[in-house]
Amino acid sequence: MYIYQAAAAERPRPGSRAVHASKMKTTAMRTLRAILVLLAAASAAASRCHSGDKAALLAIKAALGNPYHFASWTAASPCCDWYDVDCDASTGRVVGLAVFQDANLTGAIPDAVAGLAHLRSLRLHHLPGISGPIPPAIARLPNLSFLTISWTAVSGPVPSFLGALARLSQLDLSFNALAGAVPASLAALPSLYSVDLSRNRLTGSLPPLLFSKAPQPAYLRLSHNNLTGGVPAEFAAVAFAQIDLSRNGFTGDASTLFGRAKPVQQMDLSRNDLSFNLSAVELPEQLIVLDVSHNDIYGGVPAQVANLSSLQFFNVSYNRLCGAVPAGGNMARFDAYSYQHNRCLCGAPLANPCK
């Protein structure tokens, strides 16, 4: 009897701290087991390789002549372990393919890329031996959000079928040999907010509705092409964070790109044939870089420039500006180079004083 009572006394009473601690320990152990099961499942998924994805990647390798760059791509190993390949941790499907900096890769972009049905990101960068047009197979990648084909020998047009990539948000086709116009089909993409087509051979005018559906501040880089026409009036409604139209043949009024409340941080309109009154614009408060040199811009330098605390680069040279260069504020950052070769600008840092 005494033994029973002693044993009973040692057992935790219902509602006691010991019982509470025991329950917490049990719950914690169950939670830990669940986490370990999930991690094991994710690890297993990542180490797996979907047979369709693997077949597509091996077909890409074969189409490019089985180069050494893809030495890790072997039938005996899981494709999620291969160099340049990124898989989703929960499904094990290939979602990213990034091939960078190899001058020994030659040939066209293989059609087999269309077999990567879950691909979200395709990046082909600094591959000077990759040539030919952008294949229509890319339009069969419904989940593609990021497309980079840059620093290659790819030629032909910027294909209109890119407008079929409903989830595309960033497009970089810079430093290639692309020709023709910027396709109007890009304007239909609801998620597109960044386009870089600089350093190509593009001609024609800009699609007026480009970025009309942009879900966030837009980035447009078109420098070093042969584009012509005016800056679309519709661009006044676009919240650009960066716009680079430099070294083209754009004409007319670009003042709609300006505005005190615009989120523009970098604007380069240099080396075009733009003509508008700079005195009449309000400069974006967040400007870091402004280059409008080598145009046909008239009026004067807005006094507001002196108060733009973030402005680091400012160039209005080779235009038809007149009047006094603003003084004070941050104007000491900019030397005579920023103002040279204008019709009648005067005052420091220029050599000619204002009369």
Side-chain angles (χ1 to χ4, degrees):
M1 185 68 171
Y2 172 79
I3 295 175
Y4 172 79
Q5 287 176 341
E10 291 174 358
R11 290 198 301 269
R13 298 176 182 177
S16 70
R17 292 182 179 178
V19 170
H20 183 63
S22 176
K23 288 182 178 179
M24 288 184 65
K25 183 177 180 180
T26 301
T27 302
M29 291 181 65
R30 288 175 179 170
T31 302
L32 179 59
R33 279 196 293 267
I35 291 173
L36 291 173
V37 168
L38 290 173
L39 289 174
S43 177
S47 65
R48 291 197 308 267
C49 182
H50 187 272
S51 58
D53 292 343
K54 190 170 191 176
L57 290 168
L58 290 174
I60 290 171
K61 177 183 177 181
L64 293 173
N66 297 305
Y68 179 75
H69 185 95
F70 302 119
S72 66
W73 294 21
T74 65
S77 60
C79 67
C80 293
D81 295 336
W82 293 354
Y83 186 65
D84 295 342
V85 176
D86 183 32
C87 289
D88 183 274
S90 60
T91 66
R93 298 303 299 261
V94 173
V95 294
L97 178 61
V99 185
F100 287 359
Q101 295 182 325
D102 193 333
N104 297 315
L105 286 180
T106 59
I109 299 172
D111 289 337
V113 71
L116 300 172
H118 289 252
L119 201 65
R120 301 173 199 158
S121 175
L122 175 60
R123 302 181 189 273
L124 307 176
H125 175 66
H126 222 294
L127 305 171
I130 297 297
S131 58
I134 298 173
I138 287 179
R140 303 203 300 273
L141 297 171
N143 298 301
L144 201 63
S145 295
F146 306 96
L147 175 59
T148 295
I149 304 171
S150 62
W151 292 83
T152 75
V154 166
S155 58
V158 177
S160 59
F161 60 68
L162 295 179
L165 299 172
R167 297 187 179 181
L168 192 65
S169 60
Q170 296 184 33
L171 175 65
D172 182 355
L173 303 178
S174 61
F175 289 83
N176 292 302
L178 298 171
V182 179
S185 61
L186 295 180
L189 296 176
S191 300
L192 187 66
Y193 70 89
S194 179
V195 172
D196 189 348
L197 302 176
S198 55
R199 301 272 182 170
N200 280 286
R201 303 168 185 170
L202 302 179
T203 56
S205 57
L206 295 179
L209 298 180
L210 185 65
F211 294 128
S212 60
K213 299 181 179 181
Q216 61 190 78
Y219 297 78
L220 179 62
R221 306 172 189 90
L222 298 173
S223 68
H224 292 79
N225 280 288
N226 299 305
L227 295 164
T228 55
V231 175
E234 291 82 357
F235 277 16
V238 178
F240 285 107
Q242 179 182 12
I243 181 165
D244 185 352
L245 306 181
S246 63
R247 294 178 183 267
N248 280 283
F250 291 114
T251 57
D253 188 358
S255 62
T256 55
L257 298 175
F258 294 83
R260 189 181 294 269
K262 297 284 184 74
V264 183
Q265 295 183 333
Q266 300 181 44
M267 183 186 299
D268 190 347
L269 309 179
S270 63
R271 297 181 184 272
N272 283 286
D273 292 309
L274 298 168
S275 181
F276 59 93
N277 185 357
L278 191 62
S279 300
V281 305
E282 287 190 320
L283 301 178
E285 292 284 356
Q286 299 179 52
L287 264 182
I288 299 172
V289 172
L290 178 62
D291 190 346
V292 295
S293 63
H294 294 268
N295 278 288
D296 194 34
I297 298 170
Y298 55 93
V301 179
Q304 182 195 357
V305 173
N307 300 321
L308 297 179
S309 58
S310 298
L311 193 62
Q312 299 296 320
F313 183 87
F314 180 68
N315 193 345
V316 295
S317 63
Y318 290 89
N319 281 289
R320 294 193 293 121
L321 300 175
C322 282
V325 173
N330 62 5
M331 298 310 291
R333 297 177 185 174
F334 315 118
D335 58 20
Y337 173 82
S338 298
Y339 311 102
Q340 64 185 355
H341 292 281
N342 274 283
R343 173 177 290 177
C344 48
L345 281 181
C346 61
L350 296 171
N352 53 313
C354 295
K355 297 180 181 179

